[in-house]
Amino acid sequence: MITNILNRERINSSPYDQGLLWTVLILLGIGLVMVYSASIAIAEADKAVGHNSHYYLVRQAIFIVISLSAALVVFNIPISWWQKMAPYLFLFGLALLVLVLIPGIGRVVGGSRRWLSLFVINLQPSELMKLFSAMYVADYTVRKAALMNSFTRGFLPMLVVMLLVGGLLLREPDFGAFAVIAAISISILWLGGINGRIFAGLLVLLVVGFIFLIWSSPYRLERVIGFMDPWADPYGKGYQLSHALIAFGRGEWFGVGLGASVEKLLYLPEAHTDFLLAVIAEELGFIGVLAVVGLFVWIVLRSFAIAKEAIANERYFAALLSQGLGVWIGVQGIINMGVNMGVLPTKGLTLPLLSFGGSGILANCIGMAILMRIDFENRRLQKGIPA
């Protein structure tokens, strides 16, 4: 009788994860409101956008509409197609990373060459590469499952590929994207059954590598020094962090009220992108930040729950990809939040699904659509319908 009830619940259940969908839509909605609030002063002061206070609101709304439309298309594509196309999409991503480094093609903003100009909008290849890397590493791990205990035949080829990606990203430079892609790749390899000793050695190598990259780069070293004591140079190295911390302090429990932030009035740089959480903290307080954190935690938990269901159905690529997408959203969210709170050195990473930016929103929405497709196929299999 219990079995019959469970089967009836599965058959009558929703064909997709409504909770996950609403979580993503709520984050996009919060992001749209807070981007508008955080960008009004910036837009009014910027001659390049015609002193139009609605400039970033309109563009973010357009980005969200385009991204959700793309996500709807992606949701209708079977996961088997993504597995088949994973190597080709990864090569496409590599080509974009090479193109962005070519003078005259790649666009330089703030000293970094990270964007390709598409006339109407700018495309940031590193955002798409996070998604393509998750697909490629998941596919590679499934294909090479029998060789995961071998350093030369299982791990070394992937290490070479990831070093190539890292080299291209560091040439932009985009250290933050490299850190996220490294976290995604390592997590998938670990969850896919890589040899424990190889994994431990990789972690040591990464720590040493990151320390070397920071020590060998003057601007990265300055960021770390500014992070250690932002108040030692509040008008120089510690400027961004000190104002972010002031915003958090002003917000207290319930915030100063939506639209009432002082720090967004040209005090806090990148208030609508990298430091959007600081504005949320100031205007909505600890409760607002806690709500945002809770929504991200839900996405990560659901990604691993969906992966567990995929494993039960022996869909290992889908499971690893689901976990990789969860790691992507979780790690990037943690880094951005850590930077805003002064727990991590300042890094140019946006808050997924919230911060202003077309490429980031597009990649995030496509990633969430793929996650929902994995869950959709899991539910069909539970009902006895082919995925």
Side-chain angles (χ1 to χ4, degrees), residues 189-235:
L189 287 171
W190 170 250
L191 293 166
I194 194 173
N195 181 280
R197 286 179 296 178
I198 296 175
F199 180 75
L202 176 61
L203 290 181
V204 172
L205 182 64
L206 276 174
V207 171
V208 173
F210 281 139
I211 292 173
F212 173 76
L213 287 171
I214 292 170
W215 189 262
S216 62
S217 175
Y219 89 93
R220 291 194 191 105
L221 190 59
E222 284 184 4
R223 284 186 172 183
V224 173
I225 293 171
F227 152 74
M228 298 296 288
D229 186 6
W231 308 110
D233 188 10
Y235 298 105

Side-chain angles (χ1 to χ4, degrees), residues 98-168:
V98 172
L99 278 176
V100 83
L101 295 175
I102 300 175
I105 298 179
R107 187 163 179 258
V108 179
V109 177
S112 297
R113 190 184 297 273
R114 301 178 184 175
W115 293 268
L116 291 172
S117 178
L118 302 181
F119 302 106
V120 179
I121 60 171
N122 294 319
L123 176 68
Q124 190 172 355
S126 60
E127 292 293 340
L128 295 177
M129 199 61 189
K130 295 168 188 174
L131 176 61
F132 296 156
S133 294
M135 291 180 182
Y136 178 72
V137 180
D139 175 58
Y140 179 88
T141 304
V142 171
R143 286 189 290 108
K144 302 287 186 178
L147 303 174
M148 282 293 104
N149 284 323
S150 171
F151 177 81
T152 54
R153 298 176 63 191
F155 173 69
L156 189 59
M158 178 54 63
L159 177 63
V160 172
V161 170
M162 287 300 110
L163 287 176
L164 174 61
V165 173
L168 291 171

Side-chain angles (χ1 to χ4, degrees), residues 67-87:
S67 299
L68 289 177
S69 300
L72 183 60
V73 173
V74 166
F75 178 76
N76 288 285
I77 300 174
I79 296 301
S80 58
W81 187 88
W82 293 108
Q83 183 174 7
K84 183 171 64 176
M85 295 301 296

Side-chain angles (χ1 to χ4, degrees), residues 137-138 141-142 145 148 183-196 199 202 300 303-305 307-308 311 316-328:
V137 180
T141 304
V142 171
M148 282 293 104
I184 294 169
S185 304
I186 292 168
S187 298
I188 292 175
L189 287 171
W190 170 250
L191 293 166
I194 194 173
N195 181 280
F199 180 75
L202 176 61
V300 174
S303 71
F304 277 80
K308 186 177 180 180
I311 291 171
Y316 301 112
F317 169 78
L320 289 173
L321 180 55
S322 178
Q323 291 165 334
L325 293 172
V327 170
W328 169 21

Side-chain angles (χ1 to χ4, degrees), residues 359-380:
S359 300
I361 294 293
L362 177 63
N364 295 157
C365 286
I366 290 175
M368 292 300 96
I370 292 173
L371 182 60
M372 290 191 66
R373 176 69 196 197
I374 295 171
D375 176 72
F376 172 76
E377 293 184 3
N378 286 341
R379 292 173 187 239
R380 286 175 64 88

